[in-house]
Amino acid sequence: MDDSLSLESFYEGAKKAAHRAMDDHGRGEYDEFALHAGIAIERLAKAVLVSKNPIYIIEVRGNVSTDMLFHMGGHREAKKIRTIGASEAIARLRTLEVLAPDKDLDTLIDVRNGVAHTGSRDEAKAFLPTLAQTVETMLKDLGGPLNAFWGRWTAAARMAVDNRRSEVSRDVHVRIGQAKHRYDDQFSGLPDHLQERLKIEQLRLQSFSVGQTKDGLQISSHERCPACESAGRVIAVNQGTPENPDFVAVALHCSMCHLQLATRDELVAAGIDVKSTDEQVARKATELFGGVLPSEAMLQAAVEQYLDDDIDDSD
């Protein structure tokens, strides 16, 4: 039988595609994630079918099926190698009661095949638990350990299907794991002392600042990144009144590992002490404005002064 149609070949192809899918998901490339996740599921499904009987991956279509039947039996070379697609592989595994009906899995395969399109980036992003659960189910049938398939992505795959956690918690911890890998890929080759120097420089750059956004004024400070332990930029917005502000942390961005936490709930899920962070931001703002927590008018004046100074320096 053709080595490319062996259990080992399908398994290794599935593993490679699954790792790429995890990397795509971590970088926010959700269309690419759906593509590689679909490929991973198709190849692993074929690995399971081949483990039971190689003829189970033959496409039933006229003379093609006869040629492939003899090809898989090792008696004749088929003129054209043709096997079933992802949808049929999944259908056959459902017939064999390896996989159960799953609308999310069907949608993921349709997206991968170009039959369906996701309505938003978040919709494609939400397929990660589907990938992780489907892979886990098929690996159980193969009798293969999860960590042998996922490697460094094992923790993220387990987290994606951990129903003991909330959806926000699962999503945040998966992204933290992905960010750790991004950091390692980029900086692990540097000596430890250079990595520390980079983190110290990052801490200096993330000093207290005031900014104007389309959503209004915000102030920022730094907080330890839960992924790479560098100085992440924590964003605080006013949830009080313009005259009596109450700045609370609502987001964190790390330029070292590119982790982004976009809500206060995500900060909490990442293990950040948001009350302590709020107090730190307020304390630094008070120190900067001479012992008074700045009102929005004071912050606006600071922004305008900064912009004026910047224009003068450029003349």
Side-chain angles (χ1 to χ4, degrees):
M1 186 178 71
D2 189 342
D3 286 344
S4 68
L5 303 179
S6 67
L7 185 157
E8 292 76 15
S9 178
F10 283 127
Y11 177 90
E12 289 300 321
K15 182 164 70 171
K16 181 178 180 181
H19 287 206
R20 290 190 65 179
M22 279 293 196
D23 187 52
D24 294 332
H25 194 278
R27 291 184 290 105
E29 300 290 342
Y30 299 123
D31 290 339
E32 291 295 310
F33 160 73
L35 171 64
H36 289 122
I39 292 172
I41 289 170
E42 176 181 345
R43 290 178 179 171
L44 194 58
K46 289 179 179 179
V48 176
L49 290 169
V50 168
S51 74
K52 298 181 182 303
N53 194 317
I55 67 171
Y56 288 169
I57 64 170
I58 294 176
E59 183 180 52
V60 180
R61 184 188 295 180
N63 290 334
V64 174
S65 61
T66 303
D67 287 345
M68 281 299 297
L69 180 66
F70 289 125
H71 183 91
M72 298 300 286
H75 294 94
R76 183 186 300 174
E77 289 292 322
K79 294 179 180 179
K80 187 173 184 179
I81 304 298
R82 187 187 297 275
T83 63
I84 55 176
S87 296
E88 181 60 26
I90 291 169
R92 293 183 185 185
L93 288 182
R94 286 172 176 164
T95 299
L96 295 171
E97 298 184 345
V98 174
L99 292 177
D102 183 342
K103 291 182 180 179
D104 288 338
L105 175 56
D106 295 337
T107 302
L108 172 56
I109 297 304
D110 284 345
V111 170
R112 175 254 170 149
N113 292 339
V115 176
H117 299 278
T118 56
S120 68
R121 287 168 58 86
D122 285 343
E123 187 178 348
K125 172 184 175 181
F127 287 134
L128 181 58
T130 302
L131 169 64
Q133 185 61 67
T134 305
V135 165
E136 184 174 339
T137 300
M138 290 192 287
L139 287 176
K140 285 180 179 178
D141 190 83
L142 282 174
L146 202 64
N147 60 346
F149 182 88
W150 282 115
R152 71 175 188 171
W153 294 108
T154 302
R158 290 186 188 279
M159 184 63 66
V161 296
D162 186 354
N163 292 324
R164 296 170 299 177
R165 293 176 178 269
S166 68
E167 184 177 349
V168 171
S169 179
R170 289 198 304 271
D171 179 57
V172 166
H173 281 85
V174 166
R175 282 190 278 137
I176 288 174
Q178 292 167 332
K180 286 180 179 177
H181 295 322
R182 281 196 299 273
Y183 179 86
D184 289 341
D185 289 343
Q186 188 170 2
F187 298 110
S188 61
L190 293 177
D192 289 345
H193 71 280
L194 288 181
Q195 292 189 48
E196 288 304 313
R197 284 183 61 184
L198 282 172
K199 290 181 179 181
I200 292 172
E201 179 63 15
Q202 186 67 9
L203 179 62
R204 183 185 69 80
L205 292 173
Q206 300 299 342
S207 59
F208 184 88
S209 63
V210 180
Q212 175 76 55
T213 72
K214 62 181 180 63
D215 297 320
L217 289 164
Q218 65 180 27
I219 57 180
S220 63
S221 185
H222 68 269
E223 177 66 58
R224 180 188 63 81
C225 173
C228 68
E229 299 188 347
S230 301
R233 178 169 173 256
V234 64
I235 308 299
V237 298
N238 181 19
Q239 293 190 349
T241 65
E243 297 77 18
N244 297 293
D246 178 21
F247 292 102
V248 298
V250 295
L252 179 141
H253 307 290
C254 179
S255 61
M256 297 290 282
C257 67
H258 305 292
L259 175 67
Q260 295 193 39
L261 303 174
T263 68
R264 192 168 175 86
D265 286 344
E266 290 187 355
L267 295 177
V268 173
I272 293 174
D273 185 343
V274 290
K275 290 185 178 180
S276 176
T277 301
D278 294 344
E279 293 170 357
Q280 172 186 284
V281 169
R283 182 171 61 254
K284 289 188 175 182
T286 300
E287 291 172 356
L288 185 65
F289 284 85
V292 178
L293 188 62
S295 64
E296 288 194 5
M298 295 171 67
L299 288 172
Q300 184 66 56
V303 171
E304 292 174 356
Q305 181 62 51
Y306 172 80
L307 293 174
D308 289 341
D309 291 344
D310 191 48
I311 291 174
D312 291 340
D313 290 341
S314 64
D315 290 340

